[in-house]
């Protein structure tokens, strides 16, 4: 698998320094150009998960507003048999850049990319085996989200009243386990005696299943739940709201997402582990326009790159005591410096 440290630094630096300010020059050059990029986001499912897929779409919407790009979002639906044809159809339509996410789409993209060498492809949250094929037109973006999940686990263990916290995984794939291993390591650092209960839903699209699993964990004494399960996780968050328990959001700042429509739901999400998919896609398009995007490379971006983090909003300030927040800040600095080495499922 090809990796370039220089490309990672350049890419991560844009996220850390601020997406617009850090690249004002390259964006201005891009806008002076008459060419507008035609971009397709192929969603293997539907929007509305209030986390992962919505984050990708939001980043591209912002890119369309700021950059010379035209974005088309294609929702392939929940029928898996439609995902490969949707990606193939988008590629056939002559888009300059075709974007999709997760391991469930990687194989389809790897089949298409060599047949369309003039099309650029971006896969996020997974990567093809760059050593095993001609994928010079694919940019893969992965996230060392364990580095952020560690911080949420640390806080959760310290504020749990029962010493029991729970996780609900959509599946046991590497990108989901990446959250879990960091969360569990951080929890043990916060309280060596903490008990972490893990459940696997087997789906990302069943809120009822997520609610059922969370309620079962609460019955076992869990008082904080961390759903890492897309739309399934929405049900787990609802269970925390209904039972007066606390929750950790995932992928996006879910408390702020729910704040307007369901304040009671927002009020129990004391932080979220953010995988800044939208920001990374925005930056990838900026670099594509500038001709500097490292296609043919798997980028692995973490806390030091600004690509992941935890939400430190008003709910965090209210629900997490000052001494715990200070401990989290100290751990964050030590992760970035390398003093704390966080485990990873990303090999």
């Amino acid at each position: 698998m090809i990796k370039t440290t220089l490309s990672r630094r350049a890419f991560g630096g844009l996220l850390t320094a601020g997406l617009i300010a850090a690249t004002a020059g390259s964006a201005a050059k891009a806008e002076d150009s008459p060419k507008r990029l035609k971009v397709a986001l192929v969603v293997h499912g539907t929007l509305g998960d209030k986390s992962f897929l919505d984050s990708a779409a939001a980043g591209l919407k912002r890119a369309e507003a700021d950059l010379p790009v035209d974005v088309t979002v294609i929702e392939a639906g929940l029928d898996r048999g439609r995902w490969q044809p949707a990606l193939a159809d988008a590629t056939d339509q002559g888009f300059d850049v075709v974007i999709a996410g997760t391991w469930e789409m990687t194989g389809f993209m790897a089949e298409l990319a060599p047949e369309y060498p003039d099309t650029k492809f971006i896969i996020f949250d997974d990567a093809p085996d760059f050593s095993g094929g001609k994928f010079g037109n694919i940019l893969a973006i992965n996230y060392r989200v364990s580095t952020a999940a560690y911080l949420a686990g640390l806080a959760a263990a310290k504020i749990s009243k029962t010493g029991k916290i729970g996780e609900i995984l959509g599946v046991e794939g590497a990108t989901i386990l990446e959250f879990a291993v960091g969360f569990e390591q951080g929890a043990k650092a916060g309280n060596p005696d903490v008990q972490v209960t893990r459940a696997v839903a087997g789906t990302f699209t069943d809120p009822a299943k997520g609610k059922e699993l969370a309620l079962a964990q609460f019955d076992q004494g869990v008082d904080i739940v961390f759903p890492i399960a897309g739309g399934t996780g929405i049900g787990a968050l609802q269970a925390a709201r209904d039972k007066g328990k606390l929750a950790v959001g995932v992928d996006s700042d879910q408390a702020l997402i729910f704040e307007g429509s369901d304040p009671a739901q927002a009020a129990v999400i004391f932080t979220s582990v953010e995988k800044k998919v939208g920001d990374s896609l925005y930056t990838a398009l900026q670099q594509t326009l500038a001709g500097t995007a490292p296609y043919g490379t798997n980028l692995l971006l973490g806390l030091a790159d600004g690509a992941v983090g935890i939400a430190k909003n008003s709910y965090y300030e209210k629900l997490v005591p000052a001494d715990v927040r200070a401990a989290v800040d100290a751990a964050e600095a030590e992760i970035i410096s390398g003093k704390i080495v966080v485990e990873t499922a990303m090999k």
Side-chain angles (χ1 to χ4, degrees):
M1 187 173 293
I2 301 170
K3 289 190 180 182
T4 55
T5 302
L6 180 60
S7 296
R8 174 185 174 279
R9 287 176 180 166
F11 196 99
L14 294 183
L15 290 169
T16 303
L19 292 165
I20 298 174
T23 55
S26 61
K29 288 179 183 178
E31 291 181 4
D32 289 340
S33 169
K35 178 172 176 57
R36 295 180 64 85
L37 280 182
K38 293 173 58 183
V39 178
L41 170 64
V42 180
V43 177
H44 60 308
T46 60
L47 296 180
D49 65 350
K50 298 185 184 298
S51 58
F52 185 79
L53 296 174
D54 285 358
S55 173
L60 294 180
K61 182 177 180 180
R62 186 158 56 85
E64 188 171 46
D66 296 345
L67 306 172
V69 300
D70 298 311
V71 176
T72 299
V73 178
I74 300 167
E75 298 183 65
L78 302 180
D79 180 355
R80 291 171 179 265
R82 296 175 56 190
W83 295 353
Q84 191 278 342
L87 190 67
D89 287 347
T91 305
D92 281 336
Q93 289 176 38
F95 288 98
D96 299 304
V97 182
V98 177
I99 302 172
T102 84
W103 60 274
E104 293 170 300
M105 298 296 282
T106 307
F108 303 143
M109 187 176 288
E111 291 174 0
L112 286 168
E115 298 177 12
Y116 293 85
D118 295 330
T119 301
K120 296 188 182 301
F121 295 86
I122 298 174
I123 185 79
F124 58 92
D125 215 33
D126 198 44
D129 181 358
F130 283 99
S131 67
K134 297 181 179 179
F135 304 135
N137 55 338
I138 297 180
L139 172 61
I141 306 173
N142 277 288
Y143 309 88
R144 271 294 313 276
V145 76
S146 62
T147 55
Y150 180 104
L151 303 177
L154 178 70
K158 285 184 173 295
I159 66 174
S160 171
K161 292 181 171 59
T162 64
K164 297 179 180 181
I165 58 181
E167 300 169 320
I168 296 172
L169 282 58
V171 298
E172 289 188 288
T175 55
I176 302 302
L177 290 170
E178 175 72 3
F179 285 93
V181 296
F183 186 75
E184 292 167 12
Q185 184 183 353
K188 288 293 185 182
N191 175 7
D193 297 321
V194 72
Q195 296 180 35
V196 182
T197 300
R198 182 190 292 184
V200 181
T203 175
F204 292 100
T205 58
D206 189 348
K209 181 68 172 179
K211 191 168 190 176
E212 173 191 336
L213 292 172
L215 289 172
Q217 291 187 347
F218 295 148
D219 286 344
Q220 297 167 23
V222 165
D223 63 350
I224 297 175
V225 66
F226 179 27
I228 318 162
T232 298
I234 300 300
L237 296 178
Q238 292 170 345
R241 176 200 63 196
D242 296 347
K243 289 293 186 179
K245 308 297 184 181
L246 293 178
V248 177
V250 72
D251 291 324
S252 301
D253 187 340
Q254 290 190 301
L256 296 189
I257 290 174
F258 282 107
E259 189 173 48
S261 60
D262 191 346
Q265 180 68 87
V268 302
I269 303 173
F270 73 89
T271 191
S272 294
V273 180
E274 296 181 273
K275 182 183 288 186
K276 300 178 183 180
V277 174
D279 287 354
S280 64
L281 294 179
Y282 183 107
T283 300
L285 292 182
Q286 282 186 315
Q287 291 196 343
T288 299
L289 287 161
T292 59
Y295 285 88
T297 297
N298 176 32
L299 293 170
L300 187 57
L301 305 174
L303 196 65
D305 305 299
V308 301
I310 64 168
K312 298 179 181 179
N313 52 35
S314 61
Y315 301 98
Y316 179 76
E317 296 284 333
K318 178 180 179 181
L319 295 169
V320 180
D323 63 324
V324 177
R325 300 198 305 269
V328 168
D329 290 345
E332 183 171 10
E334 291 183 348
I335 291 170
I336 291 172
S337 72
K339 185 175 180 179
I340 293 177
V341 178
V342 180
E343 297 172 12
T344 181
M346 307 295 293
K347 306 300 183 184

